[in-house]
Amino acid sequence: MPGYAAEYKRRHDAIWPELVALLKGAGISDYSIHFDAETNALFAVLWREDGHGMERLSESPLMRRWWSYMADIMETAPDGAPITVPLETMLLLP
């Protein structure tokens, strides 16, 4: 949502250690979120191990608590999850 970039960054700078552990335990690494001030868009990049458990994160009470914590400053789906838009990879350097 417009006007919340600084608060969004502040909250992520203080990300809960147990949430980091949950994400890493689900096979996620090299996770970064980028902000385009011109369009107010967030863009996230992450790598997942083969056999990752990312699809089960929405079942975690901790993940749902984080979503609730962030809901006042970002758009969310009816289930509380952040709104996402699938993108097509156009280049992936080996």
Side-chain angles (χ1 to χ4, degrees), residues 5-18:
E7 179 61 14
Y8 185 91
K9 181 166 180 5
R10 184 191 71 76
R11 292 183 193 186
H12 280 81
D13 284 349
I15 193 168
W16 308 332
E18 61 271 27

Side-chain angles (χ1 to χ4, degrees), residues 14-26:
I15 193 168
W16 308 332
E18 61 271 27
L19 182 57
V20 172
L22 178 70
L23 296 172
K24 288 183 178 193

Side-chain angles (χ1 to χ4, degrees), residues 7-55:
E7 179 61 14
Y8 185 91
K9 181 166 180 5
R10 184 191 71 76
R11 292 183 193 186
H12 280 81
D13 284 349
I15 193 168
W16 308 332
E18 61 271 27
L19 182 57
V20 172
L22 178 70
L23 296 172
K24 288 183 178 193
I28 297 170
S29 64
D30 298 324
Y31 190 2
S32 60
I33 302 172
H34 309 271
F35 177 64
D36 179 352
E38 186 174 316
T39 63
N40 202 51
L42 293 167
F43 180 82
V45 177
L46 59 85
W47 291 98
R48 303 178 295 188
E49 298 171 358
D50 289 340
H52 66 84
M54 191 171 162
E55 67 282 346

